[in-house]
């Protein structure tokens, strides 16, 4: 089983686990090899931010479900954490929820001559992420997004 299949299966399992905790949302799942170890990272969030107790509860419940269903061949380390200040934006709901926030967007191919953009997120309309940048408004087709993250401004 490949990394993508593991991530998809774990995403489904984690979504079910998080139904027990209505304020929490699943942000992302990563399954990566680091040195000799495989690491399964599950990122969760909630309004106001995730606390260590939230991570502990989800980790315990998710670990039980993963032990029961055994979707991952071999040994791995499970980490449950906050996505951090530069949280990735994945879903349509993310692009609506974080409208008005500063974001950094990268694309697979140049859009209007650039592959990296930073600006205020205006939202997602008709499959296009809209940003207000220092040089004006930019629309980036969602299918061309390599990544979109909240940007931290100090």
């Amino acid at each position: 089983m490949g990394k993508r299949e593991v991530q998809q299966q774990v995403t489904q399992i984690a979504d079910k686990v998080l139904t027990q905790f209505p304020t929490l949302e699943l942000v992302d799942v990563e399954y990566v090899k680091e040195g000799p170890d495989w690491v399964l990272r599950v990122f969760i969030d909630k309004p106001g931010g995730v606390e260590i107790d939230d991570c502990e509860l989800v980790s315990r419940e998710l670990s039980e479900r993963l032990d029961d269903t055994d979707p991952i061949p071999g040994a791995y380390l499970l980490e449950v954490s906050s996505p951090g200040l530069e949280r990735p934006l994945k879903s349509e709901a993310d692009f609506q929820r974080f409208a008005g926030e500063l974001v950094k967007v990268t694309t697979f191919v140049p859009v209007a001559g650039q592959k990296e953009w930073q600006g205020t997120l205006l939202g997602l309309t008709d499959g296009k992420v809209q940003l207000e940048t220092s040089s004006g408004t930019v629309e980036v087709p969602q299918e061309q997004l390599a990544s979109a993250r909240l940007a931290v401004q100090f």
Side-chain angles (χ1 to χ4, degrees):
M1 178 182 314
K3 286 175 32 172
R4 182 164 295 223
E5 291 85 8
V6 167
Q7 289 174 181
Q8 289 172 342
Q9 286 189 7
V10 172
T11 296
Q12 291 174 352
I13 295 166
D15 276 335
K16 289 178 185 171
V17 166
L18 287 174
T19 62
Q20 300 173 54
F21 311 104
T23 60
L24 295 173
E25 68 172 302
L26 179 65
V27 175
D28 203 5
V29 172
E30 291 180 348
Y31 184 58
V32 294
K33 185 145 178 81
E34 292 185 353
D37 300 318
W38 282 96
V39 180
L40 176 63
R41 288 193 181 98
V42 177
F43 298 98
I44 59 174
D45 203 2
K46 72 177 183 184
V50 173
E51 298 174 7
I52 191 76
D53 291 343
D54 300 318
C55 295
E56 182 183 343
L57 286 170
V58 172
S59 179
R60 192 174 321 120
E61 290 295 323
L62 183 58
S63 183
E64 276 185 34
R65 294 274 180 97
L66 291 171
D67 287 346
D68 290 344
T69 59
D70 201 21
I72 303 172
Y76 61 92
L77 304 171
L78 173 63
E79 296 177 1
V80 177
S81 70
S82 160
L85 293 175
E86 293 184 336
R87 172 204 162 115
L89 305 179
K90 300 273 189 173
S91 68
E92 186 173 333
D94 287 343
F95 288 101
Q96 300 308 329
R97 173 178 167 192
F98 293 103
E101 299 289 333
L102 184 65
V103 297
K104 182 176 182 182
V105 170
T106 58
T107 59
F108 294 113
V109 297
V111 173
Q114 290 183 225
K115 290 177 75 174
E116 289 189 12
W117 298 92
Q118 183 165 312
T120 302
L121 178 64
L122 300 175
L124 176 70
T125 305
D126 298 326
K128 294 179 182 171
V129 175
Q130 299 168 329
L131 299 172
E132 185 63 44
T133 70
S134 58
S135 57
T137 302
V138 176
E139 290 188 340
V140 178
Q142 192 174 11
E143 69 271 3
Q144 292 182 3
L145 284 181
S147 73
R149 298 183 159 280
L150 294 177
V152 179
Q153 188 173 12
F154 293 98

